[in-house]
Amino acid sequence: MSVLIQFAIGLIFGVGLLISGMSNPAKVLNFLDLAAIRAGSWDPSLMFVMLGAVATAFIGFRLVLKRQRPLLGDTFHLPARNDLDPRVIVGPAIFGVGWGLAGFCPGPAFVALGYGTLASVLFVIAMMIGMAAARALAERQPTLATPSYE
């Protein structure tokens, strides 16, 4: 049953990405092109999508974490650390550069595979290679390993 619930949640998320335009790299790049503000061609619509996502997560986390345990699990898995380390700086920086260059981030990239474009296929392949490289690096250098969770 939980697999069906997870599938439904993923499907709703994917449809939301399609409707919002987050899976369209041209729309994302038009949003990220702040120089276009002066020209009047900047597309601010994704700002509202992001604000809606942040508000939903903010409220959702506050409500969910009041529970004793998750609905579909035994315990919550929350980070035990809250300090900034190089991974917290470098990871998002790499993510931002990739997002700005390609117009994709991981979730929308998988949704965009449905378009069958070469760009989405190449992005997902490059993302998988990057994930494998990061995992291999973390295994070679224990200080870069995944942080501990409660």
Side-chain angles (χ1 to χ4, degrees):
M1 182 64 153
S2 71
V3 172
L4 290 176
I5 292 171
Q6 292 168 0
F7 177 79
I9 291 169
L11 186 63
I12 291 168
F13 180 67
V15 168
L17 291 173
L18 281 171
I19 291 171
S20 69
M22 289 287 293
S23 61
N24 179 352
K27 185 167 185 75
V28 172
L29 292 173
N30 285 337
F31 167 71
L32 294 174
D33 184 10
L34 298 180
I37 293 173
R38 283 188 156 180
S41 59
W42 180 59
D43 182 358
S45 62
L46 293 184
M47 180 173 33
F48 298 107
V49 173
M50 288 183 205
L51 288 173
V54 169
T56 301
F58 181 80
I59 294 167
F61 272 105
R62 295 209 182 279
L63 293 174
V64 167
L65 293 177
K66 287 182 180 179
R67 300 181 52 83
Q68 293 294 321
R69 65 182 201 82
L71 289 174
L72 302 176
D74 296 327
T75 61
F76 289 108
H77 300 280
L78 303 172
R81 295 175 47 186
N82 61 3
D83 58 325
L84 290 177
D85 64 11
R87 292 176 316 125
V88 178
I89 305 297
V90 174
I94 293 170
F95 173 88
V97 168
W99 195 38
L101 290 174
F104 285 120
C105 59
F110 280 106
V111 173
L113 284 175
Y115 297 142
T117 62
L118 182 60
S120 62
V121 172
L122 291 175
F123 181 88
V124 169
I125 290 170
M127 180 178 64
M128 295 296 196
I129 291 169
M131 290 167 60
R135 184 170 291 123
L137 181 63
E139 288 173 0
R140 293 181 77 208
Q141 297 187 3
T143 58
L144 297 176
T146 304
S148 60
Y149 290 91
E150 293 178 348

